[in-house]
């Protein structure tokens, strides 16, 4: 699942000693394992052997150029949601012809840029957007390849902020109207219908909602195939990861707890391949978190301990601006010390950052190692939706990012400086 493990009492990423890495680059520091990314990609790809498929990594999960370059090298396509993401993919050597552009609010500038770069497909989220893309394509005398995103109205059973396939969500075109919108698309001169797409949500830990959504959409897909020239069916992303079993090597049982059962690529494929293989369409997948989530961690240093009247606090040098998932989604990130410590020496505490908000926490009332000032600590499973959601709030420079491969650690992004903080300001 990942390559963070203790060796000689020190947490390593692959063959790199994280204590030495933090001493060299400072904290907070994001560290990614290249081999975990490679393994995740290949494992999913292999699980789908026999199905005509293509993986389009969801760039929003982790858009560092080094990560994108690695995945492009493995043959990955990309699910993008902005002109900026397309720019990153191209900069990283990715192929625009393997990019699908999703999102409910694409602008004229983004559409034009994507058309000029020759992307594979726009995933259309509304009739209004379809008409607009047709007119933008017309302005530059070209044709826009599209897929309609269908909202299958199923409950993904995940956090409400990351559930996207219910009728009340802003995403996709409802099941009832989709035929009509395809009919309209087929009449627009600057539109070429290429496929159909759906995405029901993120961090799904069971195959059931995927199966339910595919089963709901399949009759429609077959119908549409009869009247339109479909090339692909994208079943979106959403494969969940295990956040509460961050370390591969045990045994302390609090690391091997599995409160969220893993939805492995094999289980996912086992349920979905039989439904999809007879379709005679290319199946696209858009995994983000699955690919990079457990491939990264955030290293942080304990600045102070504070015993409040009601609680014990451990104050670390990373804040909610660096990793917002706990504050925004009650996201769980396992917290471990880089020095392997006595597992009985634990305390119930809040691990918090320096930001001036009470929402600035990495855990609340959780049993964590009883670490003290100066201790180097790892927030696990921070390879997806972590750096990409970071901000400069409280005028804090963004952390550096390191990509480890074997015994080599490369700077994937420099730490921001105070000068970077005010760049472009007047
Ligand atoms: N495709 C589409 C159309 C999406 O909207 C998303 C994610 C994905 C694919 C990739 O989903 P994944 O395989 O990563 O679950 N910031 C949140 C997650 C937001 C997901 C947004 N859309 C978090 O930290 O949990």
């Amino acid at each position: 699942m990942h390559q963070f493990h203790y060796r000689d009492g020190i947490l390593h990423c692959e063959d790199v000693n994280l204590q030495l890495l933090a001493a060299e680059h400072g904290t907070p520091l994001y560290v990614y394992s290249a081999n975990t990314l490679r393994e995740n990609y290949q494992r999913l790809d292999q699980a789908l052997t026999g199905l005509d498929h293509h993986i389009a990594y969801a760039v929003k999960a982790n858009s560092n150029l080094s990560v994108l370059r690695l995945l492009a090298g493995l043959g990955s396509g990309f699910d993008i949601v902005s002109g900026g993401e397309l720019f990153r993919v191209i900069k990283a050597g990715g192929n625009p012809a393997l990019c699908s552009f999703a999102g409910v609010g694409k602008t004229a500038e983004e559409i034009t840029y994507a058309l000029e770069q020759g992307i594979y497909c726009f995933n259309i989220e509304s009739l209004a957007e379809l008409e607009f893309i047709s007119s933008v394509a017309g302005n530059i005398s070209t044709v826009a390849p599209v897929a309609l995103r269908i909202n299958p109205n199923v409950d993904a059973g995940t956090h409400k902020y990351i559930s996207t396939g219910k009728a009340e969500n802003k995403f996709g075109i409802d099941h009832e109207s989709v035929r009509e919108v395809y009919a309209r698309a087929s009449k627009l001169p600057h539109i070429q219908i290429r496929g159909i797409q759906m995405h029901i949500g993120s961090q799904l830990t069971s195959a059931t909602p995927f199966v339910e959504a595919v089963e709901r959409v399949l009759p429609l897909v077959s119908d549409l195939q009869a009247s339109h020239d479909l090339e692909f069916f994208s079943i979106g992303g959403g494969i969940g990861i295990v956040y509460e079993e961050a370390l591969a090597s045990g045994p302390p049982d609090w690391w091997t707890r599995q409160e969220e059962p893993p939805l492995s690529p094999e289980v996912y494929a086992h349920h979905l391949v039989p439904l999809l293989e007879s379709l005679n369409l290319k199946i696209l997948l858009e995994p983000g978190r699955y690919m990079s989530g457990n491939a990264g961690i955030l290293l942080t240093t304990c600045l102070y301990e504070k015993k409040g009247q009601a609680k014990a606090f451990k104050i670390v040098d990373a804040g909610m601006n660096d990793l917002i998932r706990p504050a925004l989604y009650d996201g769980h990130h396992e917290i471990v010390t880089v020095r392997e410590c006595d597992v009985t020496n634990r305390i119930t505490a809040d691990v918090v950052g320096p930001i001036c908000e009470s929402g600035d926490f990495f855990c609340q009332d959780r049993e964590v190692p009883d670490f003290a000032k100066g201790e180097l600590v790892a927030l696990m499973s921070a390879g997806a939706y972590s750096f990409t959601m970071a901000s400069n709030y409280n005028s804090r420079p963004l952390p550096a990012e390191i990509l480890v491969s074997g015994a080599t650690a490369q700077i994937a992004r420099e730490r921001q400086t105070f000068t970077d903080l005010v760049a472009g300001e007047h």
Side-chain angles (χ1 to χ4, degrees), residues 95-148:
N95 183 355
L98 297 179
C99 287
S100 306
F101 193 162
V104 297
K106 305 175 190 81
T107 66
E109 292 74 19
E110 290 177 315
I111 296 163
T112 306
Y113 174 51
L115 286 168
E116 285 166 355
Q117 297 302 321
I119 66 159
Y120 180 59
C121 191
F122 291 92
N123 294 338
I124 304 288
E125 306 252 6
S126 64
L127 178 59
E129 186 198 352
L130 176 72
E131 308 261 359
F132 187 62
I133 290 184
S134 175
S135 76
V136 174
N139 289 344
I140 56 168
S141 310
T142 190
V143 171
V146 304
L148 302 194

Side-chain angles (χ1 to χ4, degrees), residues 230-250:
L230 297 188
E231 245 175 65
F232 76 89
F233 175 21
S234 170
I235 58 172
I239 303 176
I241 62 166
V242 177
Y243 278 97
E244 301 209 20
E245 184 236 12
L247 295 193
S249 68

Side-chain angles (χ1 to χ4, degrees), residues 152-206:
N153 193 20
V154 299
D155 187 355
T158 185
H159 190 281
K160 65 176 177 173
Y161 289 180
I162 53 176
S163 180
T164 54
K166 290 276 286 173
E168 65 259 32
N169 300 132
K170 69 177 175 180
F171 298 99
I173 299 168
D174 52 81
H175 205 275
E176 291 67 37
S177 331
V178 86
R179 281 188 183 81
E180 228 173 279
V181 183
Y182 269 104
R184 176 73 185 133
S186 67
K187 296 206 173 65
L188 289 169
H190 296 285
I191 292 291
Q192 179 209 347
I193 295 171
R194 191 160 253 182
I196 181 161
Q197 196 267 356
M198 67 174 196
H199 168 76
I200 57 171
S202 195
Q203 185 52 15
L204 274 67
T205 51
S206 144

Side-chain angles (χ1 to χ4, degrees), residues 56-62 79-81 101-103 123 125 149 158-159 161-164 171 197-204 210 234-241 243 285-293 323-326 328-329 331 333 384-386 388-389:
Y57 167 67
V59 172
K60 62 176 86 65
N62 186 324
D79 164 56
I80 56 170
V81 290
F101 193 162
N123 294 338
E125 306 252 6
R149 174 171 179 176
T158 185
H159 190 281
Y161 289 180
I162 53 176
S163 180
T164 54
F171 298 99
Q197 196 267 356
M198 67 174 196
H199 168 76
I200 57 171
S202 195
Q203 185 52 15
L204 274 67
F210 288 113
S234 170
I235 58 172
I239 303 176
I241 62 166
Y243 278 97
L285 298 98
E286 305 165 359
R289 188 191 319 263
Y290 160 78
M291 210 67 84
S292 61
L323 176 56
I324 201 172
R325 301 195 66 267
L328 196 55
Y329 316 107
H333 291 266
Y385 305 110
S386 297
T388 47
M389 296 182 75

Side-chain angles (χ1 to χ4, degrees), residues 31 54 58 78 112 163 211 364 418:
V31 185
H54 201 139
F78 298 94
T112 306
S163 180
V211 170
Q364 290 182 304
F418 287 165

